[in-house]
Amino acid sequence: MREPAAVDARTQRPTARQLTVIGAVLLLSLIIPLELTLVYPAVRFMAPVFHTPSISWVLTIVSLTGVVLESPVGKLADLHGKKRVALVISALFAIGSLLCALAPNFPLLLMGRVLQGVALGMIAVLYGLLRDILPAPLVPFGFGVISVGLGVSAILGPFVGGALIDHYGFRAVFWFSVIAVTVLGVLFAAVVPESPVRLPQRLDLLGSALLGGGVGLLLLATTEGAVWGWTSAGTLGCYLGGAAAVALFVPHTLRNDHPLVDVRTVAGPQMRLPVLATLLCAFAVSGFAFLTPELLEMRHHMDAMGAARYQLPYGITAIVAGLLGGALTRRRGSRITLLAATVPLCVSLLLLALAHGSTWMILIWCGLYGIAFALYPLATMVQVAEAVPADRTAVSEGVNGIARDLGSAVAIAVLTAVLNRHIEAAPGGGGAAALTYTDGGFTIAFLVAAGSGLLAAVAAAVMRHRRLDGADATGGASASAPDGAVSAA
């Protein structure tokens, strides 16, 4: 006989079965950010093996795949079941990892990375699944546990990746991914129930092509503009084509009986501000991830592993913040949680801009940043769940994911342009390898990132949101939920 699914209404404590389900979801969600951090240190070892100057596409192709497919993947999850779609994504990720591990040439490596990139839609699907199968009081707790996973991945990724590469070569990170996602996928399939929520529609293929293709072209132009030239035909063509596709998507979806995304909901006040906050936070967070290692390596003369050690403070504080974030969201609401993320995000970047002369200062500011790293995705995901019906959660979280990807891409492009205007030749050098960015360049770049964090804090301050409660928050709350659902009866 199954353990009763209902949560204690007085203590709001999860049952053992609910904790098991949340743990299985956490472990499967962990493989995605962990795999990405594993691949970063491996890229420079791939170029001499595959004999290509375009090795950066190993990273770019994953972002492009994710931004094109996030909304369709979310829609398919709402239509056919979030657990089922999560398992399909896991299988594609495993196949892609295997292809990368065995790839004899660069095109096959990129094909494997495309299959891995589909997994960027996984997080939105898993957040939607937790919303459907958990009782409303436990949804923020479940979301917070996934935020803990982000902190764990920030700590483990660089060290696990470095150890695998040092001892077994870069292909080891892909073999690790094959094994990990296979084991965790089997556990997930055995433990986690399917969502009872279904959206009685069909997939809008033309809308998917317009939105995904348009945003993909915009992302491609943003990531490659510095290489192609910002006024080149390729860059301008991608920007114009992407903007035209997105513009055509809006009237198409307004006329469609089964739209990919409910534009009126996304453009409404309850979704508009969370999506804007996600984009701004992603810009600031990516600014930290991009600028801090560069600062440590160029201005404090650390090697890559030394710079990786500076991720420990924010990984630790992210774990603590993730553990506490669910309770904060449940008691004070997602708006307060987002403020608790954006304020330290802005402050830490501002301090990194103005006081980065000593490594101990950077350690402290990185620890402060860890609070934002854990809480901002938790808060924005909960806000989206608050703003839309349960049967549209995954696709709406996918839209949020697109905003996150665009914010990250724009951050790298803008901050790279800022740093490239502040280059100096290191003493004793003169070649390209001796070039480094000036201290003033890092100050300006961190200030730009801090400005984005400040705008995110302003967006959080003016938000007004209801809380997740009742059957509205959890599709599994109805009496018709299938056997095995862990939501409240």
Side-chain angles (χ1 to χ4, degrees):
M1 186 177 219
R2 292 189 186 274
E3 180 180 345
V7 67
D8 188 316
R10 182 168 46 84
T11 64
Q12 295 186 348
R13 291 177 180 172
T15 65
R17 172 161 173 74
Q18 288 164 342
L19 287 175
T20 302
V21 168
I22 293 172
V25 172
L26 165 66
L27 290 172
L28 190 62
S29 72
L30 182 63
I31 190 62
I32 309 307
L34 182 58
E35 191 280 334
L36 293 175
T37 57
L38 289 177
V39 173
Y40 285 140
V43 171
R44 65 189 180 97
F45 296 99
M46 298 179 190
V49 174
F50 293 103
H51 308 290
T52 175
S54 304
I55 199 65
S56 63
W57 272 90
V58 170
L59 302 177
T60 302
I61 198 71
V62 172
S63 298
L64 283 174
T65 303
V67 79
V68 169
L69 294 181
E70 277 195 271
S71 289
V73 165
K75 186 73 168 186
L76 287 171
D78 289 332
L79 293 173
H80 301 295
K82 298 177 180 71
K83 176 183 177 180
R84 180 181 301 174
V85 170
L87 289 173
V88 171
I89 292 173
S90 300
L92 292 174
F93 184 86
I95 294 170
S97 300
L98 182 62
L99 188 56
C100 290
L102 298 173
N105 54 56
F106 192 56
L108 284 177
L109 177 69
L110 291 183
M111 188 179 299
R113 293 293 284 164
V114 167
L115 292 175
Q116 287 187 316
V118 177
L120 292 186
M122 174 78 86
I123 300 298
V125 174
L126 294 181
Y127 273 109
L129 179 60
L130 285 180
R131 176 184 176 174
D132 293 349
I133 64 176
L134 291 178
L138 288 184
V139 172
F141 170 75
F143 286 8
V145 170
I146 295 183
S147 295
V148 172
L150 297 177
V152 172
S153 69
I155 294 175
L156 294 181
F159 294 101
V160 173
L164 289 172
I165 294 165
D166 288 345
H167 290 90
Y168 305 106
F170 73 85
R171 294 184 189 272
V173 301
F174 298 115
W175 285 114
F176 176 87
S177 297
V178 173
I179 297 169
V181 77
T182 301
V183 172
L184 297 178
V186 170
L187 174 66
F188 178 88
V191 170
V192 179
E194 178 59 280
S195 164
V197 179
R198 295 291 187 279
L199 183 62
Q201 294 182 359
R202 61 177 181 269
L203 181 62
D204 177 13
L205 295 177
L206 178 57
S208 300
L210 289 173
L211 180 61
V215 175
L217 287 172
L218 294 174
L219 180 61
L220 179 60
T222 301
T223 55
E224 297 297 315
V227 178
W228 296 347
W230 292 109
T231 58
S232 69
T235 302
L236 294 178
C238 285
Y239 273 130
L240 290 174
V246 173
L248 289 172
F249 170 77
V250 175
H252 165 78
T253 195
L254 289 175
R255 293 192 303 266
N256 199 306
D257 293 332
H258 304 285
L260 175 69
V261 176
D262 188 340
V263 172
R264 294 180 180 87
T265 299
V266 172
Q270 289 200 22
M271 272 287 287
R272 186 169 59 233
L273 285 176
V275 170
L276 175 62
T278 295
L279 188 147
L280 292 169
C281 285
F283 185 106
V285 166
S286 296
F288 174 92
F290 170 62
L291 294 172
T292 305
E294 296 282 330
L295 174 69
L296 291 168
E297 292 177 18
M298 293 186 179
R299 306 309 303 181
H300 294 278
H301 312 293
M302 293 185 182
D303 58 18
M305 187 58 74
R309 294 189 183 99
Y310 276 71
Q311 297 189 50
L312 284 172
Y314 88 74
I316 293 170
T317 54
I319 291 173
V320 175
L323 289 171
L324 299 177
L328 175 63
T329 304
R330 188 167 60 249
R331 294 174 183 174
R332 302 299 303 276
S334 58
R335 174 175 169 271
I336 296 299
T337 305
L338 186 57
L339 280 171
T342 53
V343 171
L345 177 60
C346 180
V347 171
S348 61
L349 288 166
L350 183 62
L351 291 171
L352 280 166
L354 303 178
H356 55 251
S358 300
T359 53
W360 67 266
M361 291 180 176
I362 298 175
L363 276 173
I364 296 175
W365 312 152
C366 286
L368 180 62
Y369 160 84
I371 300 172
F373 180 79
L375 292 186
Y376 110 80
L378 165 64
T380 53
M381 288 289 189
V382 172
Q383 286 166 347
V384 171
E386 292 170 342
V388 300
D391 58 4
R392 291 173 175 82
T393 301
V395 69
S396 299
E397 298 288 11
V399 172
N400 214 36
I402 290 175
R404 186 167 54 250
D405 293 338
L406 285 176
S408 299
V410 171
I412 301 303
V414 169
L415 298 176
T416 298
V418 169
L419 291 177
N420 284 340
R421 295 178 65 87
H422 298 83
I423 294 176
E424 68 179 13
L435 292 178
T436 186
Y437 300 124
T438 66
D439 191 73
F442 279 108
T443 295
I444 295 173
F446 274 116
L447 286 174
V448 171
S452 182
L454 178 61
L455 291 175
V458 172
V462 300
M463 286 179 184
R464 293 293 182 270
H465 281 293
R466 60 184 172 81
R467 297 189 183 190
L468 281 167
D469 54 16
D472 175 69
T474 168
S478 67
S480 60
D483 185 35
V486 293
S487 52

